[in-house]
Amino acid sequence: AFRLCGAILMLLTIDKPSVFIWSMLYFVTGLIPCAVSVGLVNRELGRWIFKWKFIKAEFLEGFYFSVSQSSQSIYNEIDKTLLASLTTLELAGLYTAAYRFIDFSYAPISGLLISSYANFFRRGADGITGSLAWARKIIPYAAAYGLSAALVLYLISGFIPLVLGSAYNDTTAILRWLAPLIIFKSVELLIANILTGAGYQGIRTAIQLGLAILSSLTAVWLISVSGWLGAVIASLGSSILAVLSFSFAVFILLRKQKAA
């Protein structure tokens, strides 16, 4: 709400907004809710008390979450950025338009992630077996939704030019190639949350940082060779690799816990 109000305020008061102004606006409109949130936590849960050992642990944990979010943003968005710099802005626009349908179809999964997140920590008190048991209850529904959404996206892709205009004819083909992406995205972060809930955020962060580096390098090569198709392949590849990597980490940690 604060960021929406900030964007409207900028629209009304600044004739030619620059990237710097937008960045400062984004910072300030994030700072206010942050201050309110800290105040509410202190009021509801008790006043914060300074303890160096606690602060040190929190900084490390905060660093893991920060790098995790940044890395996730990189391997999710790098294809669009590189497509704009390595091809044409027109092609990047068509690709981004197709990707908006993926983002829109991902909204229910975002809701599922938010509503189920606390339970990963509650169940994760028993280690990886606890958070995995919780994930097994909801991943089948997420996967089923992903399959259904991919099919719907493929079927409706032909109607995009009718809605957006003939300039978006190529978006149809791009969306058909991107459609399977929602299948993997629907389960990717749920599997990652198994690690987070059980206290293995450091491992999750390491995996996501590796994915960010690898996806950036492969995206440069694939886009240079195949244009938007290379961007699709890079995006699909990073999402599939994320699912496999998180699953492998959960499998190894599960074996260790059972052995212990």
Side-chain angles (χ1 to χ4, degrees), residues 134-145:
W134 170 242
R136 281 174 173 165
K137 293 182 179 181
I138 55 179
I139 283 179
Y141 297 102
Y145 170 81

Side-chain angles (χ1 to χ4, degrees), residues 76 79 95 99 178 181 185 230-240:
N76 281 336
D79 52 340
Y95 181 86
Y99 212 101
L178 279 173
L181 184 64
K185 282 190 169 295
V232 171
I233 295 172
S235 188
L236 278 168
S238 64
S239 191
I240 293 170

Side-chain angles (χ1 to χ4, degrees), residues 31-227:
L31 193 64
I32 297 170
C34 177
V36 172
S37 299
V38 171
L40 286 172
V41 168
N42 276 270
R43 190 187 73 180
E44 299 295 330
L45 302 179
R47 191 174 180 180
W48 178 68
I49 300 171
F50 181 84
K51 291 182 180 179
W52 174 246
K53 289 184 178 179
F54 177 76
I55 293 298
K56 187 178 180 181
E58 284 297 299
F59 266 117
L60 181 61
E61 192 77 4
F63 174 77
Y64 286 151
F65 275 90
S66 178
V67 174
S68 174
Q69 289 283 359
S70 301
S71 300
Q72 183 182 320
S73 297
I74 290 171
Y75 70 77
N76 281 336
E77 305 296 337
I78 194 67
D79 52 340
K80 306 172 196 64
T81 305
L82 290 175
L83 198 63
S85 60
L86 296 176
T87 60
T88 64
L89 293 177
E90 180 184 3
L91 190 58
L94 294 172
Y95 181 86
T96 303
Y99 212 101
R100 285 292 171 264
F101 287 89
I102 300 294
D103 291 337
F104 178 78
S105 63
Y106 188 71
I109 298 299
S110 296
L112 179 63
L113 285 166
I114 293 168
S115 62
S116 65
Y117 196 49
N119 278 332
F120 277 102
F121 290 96
R122 293 190 185 102
R123 303 295 182 90
D126 296 326
I128 202 78
T129 54
S131 56
L132 177 60
W134 170 242
R136 281 174 173 165
K137 293 182 179 181
I138 55 179
I139 283 179
Y141 297 102
Y145 170 81
L147 286 168
S148 302
L151 180 61
V152 170
L153 287 173
Y154 186 88
L155 294 175
I156 69 169
S157 59
F159 297 99
I160 292 177
L162 298 177
V163 178
L164 301 180
S166 58
Y168 288 87
N169 284 334
D170 291 339
T171 302
T172 295
I174 297 172
L175 182 57
R176 285 175 177 170
W177 277 90
L178 279 173
L181 184 64
I182 191 64
I183 301 173
F184 302 102
K185 282 190 169 295
S186 295
V187 297
E188 175 190 326
L189 293 185
L190 285 170
I191 301 173
N193 283 349
I194 298 173
L195 298 172
T196 301
Y200 294 104
Q201 179 64 30
I203 294 176
R204 172 178 175 170
T205 300
I207 292 172
Q208 289 181 308
L209 183 59
L211 286 168
I213 296 170
L214 183 62
S215 63
S216 298
L217 294 174
T218 54
V220 169
W221 172 58
L222 288 169
I223 292 172
S224 299
V225 173
S226 303

